[in-house]
Amino acid sequence: MNYTKALQNPIFKKIAQASKELGLESYVIGGFVRDFMLQRDFKKDIDIVAIGSGIDLALKVSELLSNKPKVQVFKNYGTAMLRYKEIDIEFVGARKESYSEDSRNPIVENGTLEDDQNRRDFTINALAFSLNESNYGGLVDPFEGLKDLENKIIKTPLNPDITYSDDPLRMMRAIRFATQLNFKIEEQSLEAISKNASRLKIISGERIVDELNKILETDKPSVGFLLLYKTGLLDIILPELTALNNVEEIEGHTHKNNFYHTLEVVDNICPNTDDVWLRWAALLHDIGKAPTKKFNKRQGWTFHGHEFLGGKMVKKIFTRLHMPLNNKMKFVAKMVILSSRPIVLSEDIVTDSAVRRLVFDAGEDIEDLMTLCEADITTKNPAKFKKYHNNFDIVRRKIIEVEERDHVRNFQPPISGEEIMELFNLKPSREIGVLKEAVKEAILEGEIPNEYQAAYDFVVKRAEKLGLTKVNK
């Protein structure tokens, strides 16, 4: 069957022309072909394999294009890239690869198209369209990748044991594709992942996190995380998470399985946010529960302080996996620390002061926190589920009402430290901090409104108790 309809973009004719002029063969391979067959949205990148020099082909294509786009050349890898109308096109010479045990970087030799398809990770990514005059648009499918697409199967072209051992990142990619595409990993391939799980240790944290993020960005990340768990990869990547899969019973008291609860929370949050960092917060919101778990006869199982400890654990995880230690990490840690606060509020009578404190602590992230906490409602009791959601509606209304009146989000004290120093003729001292804190507490408790005059009068009265006298001017 011919697939010229897949090659409507004018760039393919230019690549075909450049190939002919250089006297070499070229093919579109990998994700573009797979996604065309699946009728998925085109992801704005195209891989071209040349039987010869991919760098020479890229340079020739640039020469034939009217705008002469810049060609980025990566000599060490034998690849080149150019950008055409917001499409990134990567050119590589067909090659065969061999690997050493302690690295996923292969030893590369020039090869045939067959060699190049052999080295691909999965049969569905080894599909290629010909850009050659003799069979332009023809499909080259040596491993029945088209059949695997139809049957929704993730399968390696060659022995999966060798494929995964050679490049252990492919194990993560297999699980990521299974999650993204709703495919099943072939049984032999799944067993090979479990067998080679320890090989993942040679992969950098950045590469692992890139795949984790892609799993978290899917509609149902639990599919991927369960596969990571069942194959032993998750215990290598996030042992803090697998530690939650431990239910104990003492004197008839059990606690819920916090691992499966966590995966449910992650799935719950996905329809309500595309923010991968908020999804990370959902994934890590209960990690403090394993180390804080205790049992006593009066209360049963407790997890006191798990949110605070979990927030501290976030930084350790981000550091270990070489994730960004910037505002993204601080946001995830903050969400974990505050993750129980709205839930506690929704169980009790909602007081203005409690809502003010919640808004003060969450600041601009209050909506994200509420989204996380609503996802955290996983009870299967319909009455409880309805009650929690109704109470959350009350909390949300209270937040709007209190915020409009008291303006405590991103709180700035209505009276500054400089004014307090001037009022009482003070140099920088402990008393200034004490007075500023007292003003903040009075506003949060609703003793005074968040207004300058009220804060001024409060400071003057409180200063008297500290033995400070206002300077008359």
Side-chain angles (χ1 to χ4, degrees):
M1 188 171 174
N2 194 281
Y3 290 92
T4 49
K5 61 183 177 183
L7 308 176
Q8 297 300 311
N9 192 308
I11 191 63
F12 293 117
K13 287 290 185 187
K14 290 291 182 187
I15 296 168
Q17 182 186 342
S19 302
K20 186 178 179 182
E21 288 184 19
L22 291 172
L24 52 78
E25 292 180 15
S26 64
Y27 300 84
V28 194
I29 197 164
F32 176 87
V33 183
R34 178 198 67 228
D35 288 346
F36 174 81
M37 296 299 192
L38 289 172
Q39 299 182 327
R40 290 179 87 216
D41 289 340
F42 172 41
K43 295 291 185 294
K44 299 289 184 187
D45 57 357
I46 296 171
D47 292 323
I48 303 293
V49 64
I51 315 306
S53 170
I55 294 171
D56 287 351
L57 180 57
L59 293 168
K60 175 58 79 172
V61 171
S62 174
E63 190 184 302
L64 292 175
L65 290 169
S66 57
N67 65 335
K68 307 286 186 287
K70 183 182 175 185
V71 177
Q72 287 179 280
V73 174
F74 308 94
K75 276 191 177 175
N76 289 348
Y77 298 98
T79 64
M81 183 180 286
L82 63 79
R83 196 166 176 79
Y84 171 81
K85 295 185 178 178
E86 298 186 1
I87 302 169
D88 289 323
I89 306 169
E90 185 168 358
F91 298 80
V92 62
R95 61 198 191 191
K96 51 185 174 182
E97 299 175 342
S98 55
Y99 290 79
S100 63
E101 193 157 321
D102 59 351
S103 173
R104 65 178 290 264
N105 295 322
I107 299 158
V108 177
E109 299 174 64
N110 292 338
T112 63
L113 175 64
E114 185 182 356
D115 290 328
D116 203 85
Q117 287 176 303
N118 284 342
R119 74 177 182 84
R120 299 281 159 172
D121 50 8
F122 310 115
T123 59
I124 61 172
N125 290 336
L127 295 163
F129 289 144
S130 169
L131 295 177
N132 307 301
E133 199 170 35
S134 59
N135 61 340
Y136 188 82
L139 177 67
V140 186
D141 179 18
F143 305 109
E144 298 190 310
L146 194 56
K147 187 177 171 185
D148 290 336
L149 276 180
E150 289 165 0
N151 294 329
K152 300 190 170 186
I153 296 289
I154 303 292
K155 184 177 168 186
T156 59
L158 305 177
N159 182 337
D161 215 27
I162 296 169
T163 297
Y164 295 136
S165 180
D166 280 350
D167 183 355
L169 188 65
R170 289 168 176 164
M171 299 187 288
M172 295 284 300
R173 284 170 58 82
I175 290 170
R176 186 250 291 182
F177 279 121
T179 312
Q180 281 180 330
L181 302 175
N182 195 24
F183 278 27
K184 187 178 177 185
I185 300 174
E186 180 217 24
E187 200 58 43
Q188 189 186 355
S189 200
L190 200 60
E191 286 170 13
I193 293 175
S194 297
K195 183 179 172 184
N196 289 280
S198 63
R199 293 278 293 146
L200 194 69
K201 291 172 185 173
I202 70 167
I203 302 296
S204 71
E206 293 92 339
R207 289 301 186 101
I208 289 170
V209 168
D210 186 46
E211 294 300 326
L212 283 179
N213 284 344
K214 288 172 182 173
I215 291 170
L216 275 171
E217 286 165 351
T218 63
D219 293 337
K220 197 174 181 184
S222 64
V223 172
F225 281 95
L226 283 170
L227 284 169
L228 289 171
Y229 175 71
K230 287 171 182 173
T231 53
L233 295 179
L234 193 60
D235 205 35
I236 294 166
I237 303 164
L238 284 171
E240 299 87 349
L241 202 57
T242 58
L244 297 175
N245 193 14
N246 179 23
V247 178
E248 291 183 70
E249 180 176 346
I250 295 180
E251 297 178 10
H253 292 272
T254 59
H255 57 84
K256 70 183 173 190
N257 185 308
N258 288 302
F259 174 71
Y260 287 96
H261 161 75
T262 292
L263 297 189
E264 199 173 343
V265 174
V266 175
D267 284 352
N268 283 350
I269 208 169
C270 289
N272 299 315
T273 181
D274 292 327
D275 183 352
V276 74
W277 301 108
L278 187 51
R279 293 185 181 197
W280 266 102
L283 186 70
L284 302 180
H285 82 283
D286 269 350
I287 50 169
K289 281 192 171 177
T292 58
K293 184 169 71 170
K294 286 185 174 60
F295 178 82
N296 65 64
K297 289 185 179 181
R298 189 170 59 84
Q299 292 177 291
W301 291 102
T302 64
F303 305 91
H304 293 313
H306 76 271
E307 305 95 338
F308 179 70
L309 180 61
K312 289 171 74 173
M313 290 167 73
V314 166
K315 185 174 182 182
K316 290 180 182 175
I317 290 168
F318 272 51
T319 302
R320 187 179 73 234
L321 294 176
H322 302 133
M323 293 171 73
L325 301 178
N326 55 16
N327 290 336
K328 306 298 185 190
M329 182 272 292
K330 289 175 185 172
F331 168 78
V332 174
K334 178 181 178 181
M335 290 295 100
V336 171
I337 289 166
L338 297 176
S339 60
S340 293
R341 288 272 293 279
I343 291 171
V344 172
L345 267 185
S346 72
E347 289 171 340
D348 298 326
I349 296 167
V350 186
T351 64
D352 283 7
S353 63
V355 171
R356 267 191 295 271
R357 287 188 179 279
L358 178 65
V359 175
F360 173 81
D361 290 336
E364 287 298 328
D365 301 316
I366 186 68
E367 284 84 6
D368 284 338
L369 180 61
M370 293 299 290
T371 300
L372 171 60
C373 292
E374 283 181 321
D376 202 5
I377 302 168
T378 60
T379 176
K380 300 300 178 281
N381 180 317
K384 277 188 178 180
F385 186 86
K386 186 177 179 182
K387 180 190 166 191
Y388 271 121
H389 277 281
N390 287 342
N391 287 0
F392 264 106
D393 288 341
I394 295 167
V395 173
R396 281 185 182 278
R397 286 199 297 272
K398 272 281 188 187
I399 287 170
I400 294 167
E401 181 188 313
V402 164
E403 174 59 15
E404 283 177 353
R405 186 179 66 238
D406 300 324
H407 310 293
V408 292
R409 192 184 301 213
N410 298 328
F411 178 82
Q412 294 295 325
I415 185 165
S416 69
E418 289 77 10
E419 286 178 274
I420 294 171
M421 288 164 67
E422 199 176 321
L423 261 177
F424 303 104
N425 195 24
L426 292 171
K427 289 189 166 68
S429 59
R430 187 184 69 84
E431 285 86 353
I432 296 159
V434 169
L435 288 170
K436 283 180 72 178
E437 183 66 19
V439 170
K440 183 191 90 177
E441 286 297 314
I443 290 169
L444 292 179
E445 283 300 317
E447 293 172 31
I448 62 171
N450 189 6
E451 296 166 0
Y452 176 79
Q453 192 59 49
Y456 178 95
D457 295 341
F458 177 87
V459 164
V460 171
K461 283 183 187 174
R462 182 56 64 95
E464 287 174 7
K465 293 179 183 177
L466 298 175
L468 300 173
T469 307
K470 183 164 78 96
V471 177
N472 290 317
K473 289 199 173 180

